[in-house]
Amino acid sequence: MNSFNMAAVTPELALLIGAGAVLIGDLFVSNRERNVTYGGALFVLLVTAYAVWQSMVAGTVQYAFGGMFVVDPMTGVLKITAIVAAAFSLIYAQSYARDRAIWRGEFFALVLFALLGILCMISANNLLVIYLGLELQALALYALVALRRDDARATEAAMKYFILGAMASGFLLYGMSMLYGATGTLDINAIAHRAAGGGVVSFALLLGTIFLIAGIAFKLGVVPFHMWVPDVYQGAPTPVTLLLASAPKLGAFAMAFRLLVEAVPQLAVDWQHILAVLAIASIAIGNVTAVAQTNIKRMLGYSTVAQMGFMMLAMLAGVVSGNLNVTAGAYSAATFYVVTYALATAGAFGIVLLIAREGFEAEEIADLRGLARRSPWYAFLMSLVMFSLAGVPPTMGFYAKFVVLQALLSGTASGTVSLAVAAVLFSLIGAFYYIRVVKVMWFEDATDSHPIHARHDMRIALSLNGLLALILGILPQGLLALCDNAVLRALGS
């Protein structure tokens, strides 16, 4: 049946088969031969990325399974970034996971299955597919957080994440059921068409949208559904925290775009006000609370809350203008922001993993003291990603914040100037805790003289990751043009 269009789901099929092969293949290798399955997992990611790249270069919009699954340039950008983030989490995890006896096939397979759920969320064009992708990703992540079963903090974090995640899934499912009840369809394009045509129960549609926003807010980790973020980030094994902080945000962003922008754009006036409140509260609470943190994983957790709030500013700026170019500019800014955030966060956790060793977690900001004397290169890379997260020029984080504010001020909605001013002021407060990390590395004496060793692939990945923060800040036009084109094609399809 042609409507299946199996060619459109080639990356997901490759990832599914590869994840299964890695899991089964790992049963036949010893601990000393685990590099075989590690190499296999990276090969699966490479094949998946190649398949995504091929469809992205073609530049066409394809539908599969009768329109339930969509592949367009925007899905390509988000998928490639998610695959890169998953690859970083595997490469950076090597020494840490070996020392803590979690360097096993389950780890590789769960990372691949979580990525499969994220890719399905990014390409979902149907409420049912969004939910299935979300649950696949969530179940794999719950298991990854609990991977160190003998660690009380990890099990507590996993329980907390599972219970609150189940509640958020309930919100999302309830919202989806109300959308289905109001419009009689699960297809996102059909929901938009029927809602725009009138004749639907508008109260049910609005109530359903509110529940959807609650579910999306939890997955993005924004206020008031943010309390799980620092606790789970701190309790989870650091390579899992790296994955949690990067790739799932891309899936959550795609889910927000499909559910709010594509399914219920006629309710933009309503959900825009809700997003404005959530965004500014997240930027304020995330940045102010992060200042008080001494644990770097908790600090980066609250940083995530603030960063996702900033991304939501671009989300709320896009619908109101009615001008396709202005609208595309806003969502392009949001896409650029979430992509650069994922790369910078991966780099920050990569340095934390580099410093950790057997019996030493390196979770306190004080553990970075004197890093510049122990390894100037890694201190330089960490400084780049910290400056990027703070929004200091000429890093990619500065340009990401700039395009978001530009998109916000291009809108015609009232109050956007106030939102922009508040966002800048709280971001200035937030710059304090990022720059504090830089100060600790360069201007304080080292309390740890243990030599820093990194495997060859980790050195290359960390260097590439850190330098990207600078290169994409000086030359952002390529990625921004890619995001512009991708969003225009997605909105026009």
Side-chain angles (χ1 to χ4, degrees):
M1 186 175 173
N2 191 41
S3 66
F4 277 142
N5 191 15
M6 299 299 286
V9 293
T10 302
E12 286 75 14
L13 283 176
L15 188 55
L16 175 63
I17 295 168
V22 166
L23 188 61
I24 295 171
D26 189 75
L27 297 173
F28 301 98
V29 299
S30 64
N31 284 336
R32 288 194 305 174
E33 298 167 329
R34 195 122 289 146
N35 278 342
V36 175
T37 40
Y38 164 65
L42 289 182
F43 179 72
V44 171
L45 291 176
L46 188 64
V47 170
T48 308
Y50 177 75
V52 173
W53 179 257
Q54 287 295 100
S55 64
M56 197 167 75
V57 168
T60 56
V61 178
Q62 298 182 65
Y63 289 92
F65 303 108
M68 296 173 74
F69 198 88
V70 62
V71 177
D72 56 33
M74 181 176 158
T75 63
V77 173
L78 295 175
K79 285 180 181 178
I80 290 281
T81 312
I83 292 168
V84 170
F88 280 150
S89 70
L90 288 179
I91 294 169
Y92 296 161
Q94 286 187 74
S95 299
Y96 182 98
R98 286 176 198 275
D99 292 342
R100 288 153 186 80
I102 55 173
W103 189 246
R104 301 192 298 261
E106 301 96 288
F107 176 65
F108 310 137
L110 286 169
V111 169
L112 297 179
F113 280 121
L115 179 64
L116 178 61
I118 292 166
L119 298 196
C120 289
M121 286 170 68
I122 291 172
S123 272
N125 196 41
N126 182 286
L127 300 183
L128 195 57
V129 179
I130 289 177
Y131 191 73
L132 289 175
L134 178 67
E135 286 306 295
L136 176 58
Q137 172 220 262
L139 289 173
L141 289 177
Y142 298 150
L144 278 169
V145 173
L147 206 56
R148 294 185 68 189
R149 294 188 297 272
D150 55 342
D151 187 300
R153 287 192 315 168
T155 50
E156 181 189 339
M159 284 299 294
K160 193 173 289 184
Y161 189 36
F162 173 71
I163 292 168
L164 294 177
M167 191 173 70
S169 294
F171 284 147
L172 201 67
L173 195 58
Y174 194 60
M176 288 177 174
S177 67
M178 297 199 79
L179 250 64
Y180 176 71
T183 61
T185 178
L186 294 170
D187 184 271
I188 286 176
N189 294 336
I191 289 172
H193 181 71
R194 293 181 189 182
V200 299
V201 184
S202 57
F203 178 73
L205 203 61
L206 180 60
L207 196 58
T209 304
I210 291 170
F211 276 103
L212 290 181
I213 291 173
I216 291 167
F218 178 89
K219 297 304 175 186
L220 285 172
V222 295
V223 173
F225 304 98
H226 67 291
M227 293 308 293
W228 65 274
V229 177
D231 292 345
V232 174
Y233 277 28
Q234 184 180 10
T238 308
V240 178
T241 310
L242 188 163
L243 185 68
L244 267 174
S246 53
K249 304 303 179 201
L250 298 155
F253 167 73
M255 181 173 71
F257 184 82
R258 304 284 180 209
L259 290 177
L260 298 180
V261 179
E262 293 193 343
V264 287
Q266 69 283 352
L267 294 181
V269 175
D270 300 300
W271 58 253
Q272 192 182 36
H273 287 109
I274 301 174
L275 290 195
V277 174
L278 298 187
I280 211 66
S282 301
I283 296 170
I285 293 174
N287 279 321
V288 171
T289 315
V291 171
Q293 304 304 313
T294 57
N295 183 292
I296 195 164
K297 290 169 74 176
R298 290 187 72 84
M299 187 203 86
L300 290 172
Y302 282 110
S303 157
T304 299
V305 176
Q307 299 281 354
M308 289 300 101
F310 219 103
M311 186 274 293
M312 288 178 92
L313 290 179
M315 286 286 296
L316 69 91
V319 172
V320 291
S321 70
N323 181 319
L324 183 61
N325 288 328
V326 174
T327 302
Y331 297 123
S332 166
T335 309
F336 185 86
Y337 196 94
V338 76
V339 167
T340 55
Y341 160 79
L343 293 175
T345 302
F349 279 110
I351 296 292
V352 174
L353 283 166
L354 174 75
I355 298 171
R357 58 181 183 273
E358 189 171 5
F360 179 65
E361 286 293 331
E363 289 188 354
E364 297 296 319
I365 294 173
D367 295 330
L368 293 165
R369 281 178 182 158
L371 180 62
R373 292 175 181 79
R374 297 169 64 196
S375 174
W377 177 243
Y378 293 125
F380 171 68
L381 297 176
M382 185 64 160
S383 302
L384 284 179
V385 295
M386 286 293 114
F387 283 142
S388 180
L389 289 168
V392 174
T395 58
M396 62 184 180
F398 165 75
Y399 202 79
K401 282 185 167 56
F402 174 76
V403 293
V404 167
L405 291 173
Q406 191 178 41
L408 187 64
L409 295 173
S410 299
T412 57
S414 61
T416 52
V417 174
S418 306
L419 283 175
V421 170
V424 170
L425 288 176
F426 283 116
S427 294
L428 287 174
I429 294 172
F432 168 80
Y433 58 85
Y434 295 119
I435 294 174
R436 180 176 59 185
V437 173
V438 177
K439 176 243 179 191
V440 162
M441 289 190 299
W442 291 93
F443 298 107
E444 293 192 10
D445 293 330
T447 54
D448 184 2
S449 58
H450 195 277
I452 295 175
H453 293 299
R455 291 172 180 272
H456 188 60
D457 51 354
M458 186 175 185
R459 282 201 300 272
I460 294 173
L462 261 181
S463 301
L464 180 66
N465 197 172
L467 290 176
L468 271 176
L470 184 62
I471 294 168
L472 289 176
I474 296 171
L475 302 168
Q477 292 82 6
L479 179 58
L480 197 57
L482 193 65
C483 294
D484 269 334
N485 177 57
V487 171
L488 271 172
R489 296 298 305 272
L491 290 171
S493 63

